Amino acid sequence: QVQLQESGGGSVQAGGSLSVSCAVTGFSANNYYCVGWFRQAPGKEREGVAAIHSGTHAISYADSIKDRFIISRDGRFTVAQDDAKISVTLQMNDLKPEDNGMYYCALRPETWMRDCSLSTPEYHSWGQGTQVTVSS
């Protein structure tokens, strides 16, 4: 069973930096996946921020954070291919008050040729979220 656990986040002043990490376990390394970061501000819909493909390493970014945020992955596979573990980190620089919100990581199966979507309904496995607060 796929499990995602976020860590990091916290509070920072505008212009500062934070990172959030997502530990993903319980998926098969024989398949391809997209792991994405999403955020939700109070009273707003959840939106996609960035996502990375497990096979091609292709990255998708939302226009609102492009050139400020960087997504990366650190893959460590156990001996058993059906118990793979990876960590996906979102480095957030030059943070703005509009970046406030709960940040979630999510996973969806993907094909080799398709880039990762940032559409929230396409992801079905989610973590619990971690808070990012940016003060002006």
Side-chain angles (χ1 to χ4, degrees):
Q1 183 178 356
V2 174
Q3 291 188 321
L4 302 99
Q5 180 64 59
E6 300 93 342
S7 61
S11 299
V12 69
Q13 289 190 328
S17 298
L18 286 173
S19 66
V20 288
S21 292
C22 177
V24 188
T25 59
F27 63 98
S28 170
N30 294 318
N31 300 320
Y32 297 116
Y33 300 90
C34 287
V35 178
W37 279 99
F38 297 77
R39 66 186 181 186
Q40 188 167 19
K44 294 188 176 181
E45 291 188 354
R46 193 171 298 186
E47 62 175 359
V49 175
I52 186 166
H53 194 289
S54 67
T56 65
H57 293 193
I59 291 172
S60 303
Y61 286 115
D63 289 341
S64 60
I65 57 85
K66 201 171 289 185
D67 298 329
R68 297 191 295 123
F69 290 12
I70 301 170
I71 188 171
S72 61
R73 58 156 283 182
D74 176 20
R76 293 288 184 266
F77 296 107
T78 63
V79 173
Q81 288 281 10
D82 286 339
D83 187 20
K85 301 177 183 180
I86 60 170
S87 177
V88 177
T89 297
L90 184 68
Q91 175 66 39
M92 302 177 289
N93 303 313
D94 189 22
L95 281 159
K96 305 175 186 299
E98 52 263 41
D99 296 318
N100 270 315
M102 188 69 79
Y103 281 68
Y104 301 89
C105 64
L107 177 145
R108 58 158 283 150
E110 191 50 87
T111 60
W112 173 260
M113 293 302 296
R114 186 175 179 227
D115 289 342
C116 292
S117 166
L118 294 179
S119 173
T120 304
E122 295 190 28
Y123 288 75
H124 304 291
S125 298
W126 292 85
Q128 295 300 307
T130 185
Q131 181 68 39
V132 170
T133 302
V134 183
S135 57
S136 57

